[in-house]
Structure formats: structure tokens, C-alpha cells
Amino acid sequence: MKLRFSFVAALIAAGLGMLTLQSCESEGGCGETKISHSGSNDSHNNGANCVTCHKSGGEGEGCFNMCGSVYNGQSTNSLANVTVNLYTQPQGAGELRFTLKGDARGNFYTTEDVAYSGLYASVTGPSGTPHYMSASLSSASCNSCHGVSTNRLSAD
């Protein structure tokens, strides 16, 4: 009788352990790949600092290495399907190092490794006119500055 009880208790404990493992995997797993692309509408929270949740131990799916939101001018309307480029020199000069497509909701993000330090960003909207950032990137969480201490990212 004791053997049967111990076996059942072990099965229950193992089952509870599996439930615990499954819940941990859904909370802030950095192993998940998430990359925005034109036309997708999976994103949310325009203008919010994405890495508040999309970080190790955060509530978001995947750990974002570069992310932000783009608006139509300084309006409150997001701008769909933009292109974000990172160059080695200001004003689109030098070597193009990374390209990221924004989604239909005006957000861009990636869990890919982006070596952004010292690079210069440009954002291009539907008009095809690039808008350049004059300083090199110090963070790839664009909404941590844009819309807080500097103007929102905008294109047309």
C-alpha cells in the first residue's frame, strides 16, 4: 500500500513540475523569434517602450533587440509598413548594416542580434523619402527616447 501511494504521489509531483515548467516557458522566453514584417498586424501598444515587457523575465513574447513605433508626421496616427535602415555613417552614407520592416500597425521589432552601437538610423515611409537620425544610436529601444525626451519617430 505504501509503495502504491508513493508512486501516485511521485506522478502527481512530476505533473505539477511539468505545469510549472510550462508556465515559465510562456513568461518572457528569450528563445522565441519575433521579427516584424510588412503587412503583419500582430503588434500592439504603439508608442510604449517595447522592452518594458519584451525582455528577459518580462511578460512579452521574445526579447527585442531593436524596436519602436513610427508615426505619420507628428500626428497620433501610426504609419504602416515603414523601412528602418542602420548605416555606418550619418545621412545614409557608409555601409548599410541592417534593415527592418515595420508592420501594418506602425511598429517594428526584432529578436535578431543587432549590433546597433555607433550606427545611424533612417526611417522611410510610403513616400520613399528617408528621414535620418542625426546622432548615432545609443539604444535600440527607440520608444525609450522618441515620444519621451525627443519627438516621436516619424516619416511620410
Side-chain angles (χ1 to χ4, degrees):
M1 187 73 146
K2 283 186 179 181
L3 180 61
R4 185 176 299 167
F5 177 74
S6 297
F7 179 70
V8 170
L11 284 175
I12 291 170
L16 290 175
M18 291 299 287
L19 288 175
T20 302
L21 288 175
Q22 289 173 346
S23 67
C24 288
E25 288 176 358
S26 67
E27 295 177 11
C30 284
E32 193 164 344
T33 300
K34 295 285 185 182
I35 303 169
S36 60
H37 58 277
S38 294
S40 169
N41 63 0
D42 295 333
S43 69
H44 55 263
N45 297 335
N46 293 73
N49 184 354
C50 309
V51 296
T52 299
C53 294
H54 293 275
K55 64 181 178 182
S56 180
E59 296 175 12
E61 297 175 358
C63 294
F64 291 171
N65 291 314
M66 183 168 191
C67 49
S69 304
V70 180
Y71 293 87
N72 189 357
Q74 289 303 312
S75 74
T76 57
N77 300 322
S78 60
L79 190 60
N81 307 318
V82 299
T83 301
V84 178
N85 288 318
L86 301 181
Y87 295 94
T88 56
Q89 296 178 19
Q91 304 297 310
E95 182 182 336
L96 174 62
R97 289 282 174 92
F98 192 79
T99 298
L100 187 58
K101 297 290 185 177
D103 68 12
R105 295 187 180 197
N107 294 320
F108 60 92
Y109 52 89
T110 184
T111 55
E112 293 179 297
D113 187 23
V114 179
Y116 63 85
S117 183
L119 297 180
Y120 296 83
S122 75
V123 177
T124 305
S127 73
T129 303
H131 298 263
Y132 298 102
M133 187 168 160
S134 59
S136 65
L137 295 172
S138 59
S139 169
S141 178
C142 302
N143 292 348
S144 67
C145 291
H146 290 281
V148 178
S149 60
T150 60
N151 289 333
R152 293 180 181 179
L153 285 176
S154 65
D156 49 19

